[in-house]
Amino acid sequence: MMQTRTQVGIVGAGPAGLMLGHLLHLRGIDSFIIENRSEEHVVERVRAGVLEQSTVDLMHEVGLGGRLAAHGMRHEGLYLAFGGARHRIPMAELTGGRAITIYGQNEVVRDLIAARTGTGRPLRFEVEEAGVRDLASLTPSIRFRSGGRLHEVACDFIAGCDGSHGICRPSMPADRVHVYERTYPFAWLGVLVDAAPSSDELVYSLHDRGFALFSMRSPHVTRLYLQCEPDEDIARWPDDRIWAELTTRLQTSDGWAPRAGPITQKSITRMRSVVVEPMDHGRLFLAGDAAHIVPPTGAKGLNLAMADVWRLARALEAFYRSGDETLLREYSGRALQRAWRAQRFSWWMTSALHRAAADNDFDYRRQLADLEYLVSSRAAMTSLAENYVGTPME
Ligand code: FAD
Ligand code: DHB
């Protein structure tokens, strides 16, 4: 067995694991990152696109704001569409200048991998049989197989950044963990389209036939989602059916509709809310989707992952600087406070904008009345705006 040592062993090279590795590097703390998928897969998978203000600020603070500044698309408002009309929420105006930026998770991950590679610190893709051991001791370790050989990395701490299907959370003793969970009776069918976005800002739509969302990735690429059945078979959605449904649900009476073009990618995402409490056990700390999953409607998942690792890096820095474990002990409670706030908002946006099979006409009219109130009240719009653009990390 090959044996090595590091300060922080990181399982998972998604946004959480990679950003944690970078934050620790900037503080002179060593880490070893392992990832079970290939580098190409991690970079290419199509996921989040909305960065909160604090995530954008963090990318700049850690010296990775160059491509984001050049290619990110800053949005100071968004549209809610219902009853055939679009209503703009002027987010920046309502929040003292905070905004969101459209910059694909692929690009964030690309920037973070380039930074990691530049440091020369270890980042191993395509590892197999990863496992974590001795979590309650002062000497936890990670084991994995790579290049046909077994490896063991002795660590001071382990960060479980391995997403919703990882191995870290299941390694915590079941009787010490409470998992809060809710599944939603629908999913999202998402498509990437080679077409210039026909709106400068996102459009979230509630229609009699269900939810739809207009977003984008670049001046040439449109990103669209529509609510579908939770067990939907993608084979039942040929391109012409997708366009008919998207157009019906999104078009407004002022003549606006998404611009069509070749669909280059299609996928279905089921929707869940999950919170794991606590987010630590001994010297294992969970971060990102490993600890909590939000339904995508509020665009919070990636941003919560970034907030977790910002907090964890600060706590580890305090430990290595002075041996003070206060921030490490406070990590789970503080991170959960933010996670629950994001859960509440994501649940609310999901409930406000989707139609469940069990809902009747009354529920739909109530949803419309809710949205009508929202767009007529500066207080209600401010509440939406401040949650959507996100609060500062602290
Ligand atoms: P992940 O990105 O899942 O990374 C975990 C990593 O761990 C993965 O690379 C995985 O391969 C690896 N791993 C798993 N098991 C092991 C193992 N045993 N050994 C080693 N490695 C392992 N969020 C937003 O903020 N805004 C949005 O607009 C948004 N839109 C979304 C749209 C869609 C369609 C989807 C699916 C998600 C969206 N999200 C959004 C959520 C966001 O993508 C996630 O919250 C984010 O990826 C979480 O990052 P993470 O690093 O915690 O987890
Ligand atoms: C995108 C994803 C979301 O979940 C969301 O709420 C808004 C935009 C996107 O992929 O662009």
Side-chain angles (χ1 to χ4, degrees):
M1 184 170 356
M2 304 277 289
Q3 294 190 316
T4 9
R5 231 206 89 67
T6 189
Q7 289 172 296
V8 183
I10 301 177
V11 185
L18 291 165
M19 178 58 92
L20 179 62
H22 190 60
L23 288 165
L24 294 175
H25 165 74
L26 294 175
R27 290 159 169 80
I29 301 168
D30 190 36
S31 64
F32 194 116
I33 309 181
I34 60 164
E35 163 62 50
N36 62 355
R37 309 302 295 258
S38 68
E39 177 172 352
E40 192 194 2
H41 178 86
V42 169
V43 172
E44 295 302 330
R45 63 186 161 197
V46 181
R47 292 178 116 187
V50 175
L51 307 190
E52 286 180 359
Q53 184 70 56
S54 58
T55 303
V56 172
D57 295 344
L58 181 64
M59 289 289 284
H60 284 289
E61 275 162 36
V62 301
L64 300 180
R67 286 198 327 125
L68 171 60
H71 304 295
M73 303 161 91
R74 179 179 158 92
H75 288 190
E76 300 203 336
L78 62 74
Y79 291 95
L80 291 181
F82 55 93
R86 274 189 301 164
H87 305 263
R88 184 169 186 270
I89 311 284
M91 295 185 298
E93 188 191 312
L94 295 166
T95 59
R98 295 174 75 77
I100 55 140
T101 297
I102 297 291
Y103 189 65
Q105 181 167 328
N106 321 64
E107 304 306 326
V108 173
V109 166
R110 214 187 292 277
D111 292 339
L112 286 165
I113 290 176
R116 180 73 180 184
T117 307
T119 67
R121 296 195 195 267
L123 166 57
R124 295 282 180 89
F125 289 97
E126 297 181 72
V127 309
E128 293 167 5
E129 301 166 33
V132 291
R133 305 156 64 95
D134 304 325
L135 302 174
S137 77
L138 296 181
T139 52
S141 62
I142 296 178
R143 280 194 185 174
F144 58 93
R145 189 177 291 283
S146 172
R149 301 189 68 170
L150 209 55
H151 295 251
E152 183 174 66
V153 185
C155 312
D156 298 334
F157 298 94
I158 294 176
C161 301
D162 48 351
S164 52
H165 302 291
I167 48 115
C168 289
R169 204 266 288 162
S171 307
M172 294 163 77
D175 61 349
R176 302 283 294 277
V177 180
H178 191 101
V179 180
Y180 296 86
E181 183 162 13
R182 165 190 250 280
T183 53
Y184 297 84
F186 32 76
W188 279 13
L189 194 167
V191 292
L192 271 180
V193 179
D194 272 344
S198 59
S199 161
D200 289 343
E201 293 173 342
L202 272 54
V203 183
Y204 284 83
S205 174
L206 170 67
H207 188 273
D208 180 31
R209 298 178 60 81
F211 170 78
L213 169 60
F214 169 94
S215 180
M216 63 198 72
R217 283 293 175 277
S218 74
H220 316 289
V221 176
T222 299
R223 174 80 167 141
L224 296 151
Y225 298 97
L226 59 87
Q227 175 187 345
C228 62
E229 296 301 318
D231 51 359
E232 192 68 74
D233 176 3
I234 205 154
R236 292 180 56 241
W237 285 89
D239 293 3
D240 53 354
R241 182 177 176 207
I242 293 176
W243 283 117
E245 203 58 43
L246 281 169
T247 308
T248 303
R249 295 189 197 182
L250 281 165
Q251 70 188 353
T252 43
S253 47
D254 59 1
W256 182 80
R259 185 178 288 122
I263 292 179
T264 57
Q265 196 265 358
K266 281 186 213 184
S267 61
I268 289 182
T269 310
R270 298 185 77 148
M271 290 170 73
R272 283 197 296 160
S273 296
V274 178
V275 179
V276 176
E277 288 195 11
M279 284 170 58
D280 61 345
H281 171 66
R283 288 212 155 185
L284 169 72
F285 293 86
L286 302 180
D289 277 17
H292 38 67
I293 303 163
V294 285
T297 325
K300 288 281 166 258
L302 167 63
N303 296 295
L304 264 186
M306 292 299 195
D308 282 352
V309 296
W310 170 83
R311 189 177 302 286
L312 185 54
R314 211 175 52 147
L316 289 165
E317 179 186 21
F319 173 84
Y320 281 112
R321 208 180 36 223
S322 63
D324 185 351
E325 295 192 24
T326 313
L327 292 179
L328 279 172
R329 279 200 302 271
E330 288 175 358
Y331 168 75
S332 172
R334 291 269 167 90
L336 283 165
Q337 213 171 8
R338 191 179 183 94
W340 276 111
R341 190 167 165 163
Q343 287 292 359
R344 183 207 67 80
F345 177 66
S346 305
W347 168 86
W348 171 77
M349 265 195 83
T350 303
S351 316
L353 293 167
H354 290 70
R355 297 209 63 197
D359 288 355
N360 63 17
D361 287 354
F362 173 87
D363 295 300
Y364 183 49
R365 293 300 295 266
R366 182 188 45 73
Q367 283 176 301
L368 292 175
D370 218 12
L371 294 172
E372 258 152 33
Y373 162 67
L374 176 63
V375 299
S376 68
S377 157
R378 196 172 169 88
M381 281 195 289
T382 304
S383 167
L384 167 66
E386 72 186 18
N387 280 284
Y388 195 80
V389 300
T391 46
M393 297 279 180
E394 186 56 279

